[in-house]
Amino acid sequence: EALRRAPYATASIPVVQGNAEVEGNGRKRRVTVYGVGHEFARAFRFDVAEGTFLPPDDPRAPRSLAVLGSKMKAQLFGDRNALGANVRVGSERYRVVGMMRSKGTVIGFDLDDTVYVPAASALELFDRFRADHPAITVSDPQSHGELLDRLRQQGIVQGYILYRWDQSPGKIAEDAERPGIDMSVNVATSLAGI
């Protein structure tokens, strides 16, 4: 919550990452599972191909909903419609509410071969008490330094990684001056309770 109220922050999204077996339509795969907040797709400009992304939920009692990456959908369901289908992620059952448009690989992570679930569900699934790395998007790409300085002074952030994203799938922009760049801050090391 403190990150969401920070100056220049347009979104603060919890991210919990882990590996789990995913089963659907009689097929099983072991893939990366991302537990995220409902603002994730909008903040990082991920497009939903079918259905919707995860809806806003009470983080203490999220619904068992999942969104499939494009490759995950194809490998579990092929050409069949997956909307409304049940998938098992680890030992928990989720209802598919959306499928993502292909995003490709970003810094070594295949964002198409994955499942997105609510962050609180992922915390339970992976037996963790906090997000691995909350992600923050900022309103002005030049303001990230000031934002991080304030968060460090307040003891909210200990370390961070900066990512620059453009609108092309799977690319990291090298030049922050290019149009369409959205700077996000991934807080890799944060204090407990964030």
Side-chain angles (χ1 to χ4, degrees), residues 11-15 36 39-47 103 111 133-137 163 165-167 182-186:
S12 171
I13 302 107
V15 178
V36 296
E39 296 177 308
F40 180 85
R42 180 189 57 79
F44 293 104
R45 299 180 182 162
F46 282 29
D47 295 324
K103 191 70 173 171
L111 299 174
H133 42 83
I136 307 167
T137 57
Y163 294 103
W165 297 75
D166 66 14
Q167 294 185 19
D182 179 20
M183 179 66 72
S184 67
V185 179
N186 179 345

Side-chain angles (χ1 to χ4, degrees), residues 69-126:
S70 60
K71 191 182 293 184
M72 182 87 268
K73 187 268 183 194
Q75 292 180 353
L76 290 182
F77 293 93
D79 292 335
R80 294 185 57 200
N81 183 5
L83 287 177
N86 288 318
V87 293
R88 187 167 300 282
V89 179
S91 62
E92 300 298 317
R93 210 168 87 160
Y94 294 84
R95 184 171 48 90
V96 177
V97 294
M99 277 78 65
M100 301 304 290
R101 192 170 311 285
S102 180
K103 191 70 173 171
T105 301
V106 176
I107 57 171
F109 295 99
D110 186 348
L111 299 174
D112 298 332
D113 197 17
T114 191
V115 176
Y116 300 92
V117 299
S121 298
L123 288 172
E124 189 174 312
L125 178 68
F126 300 121

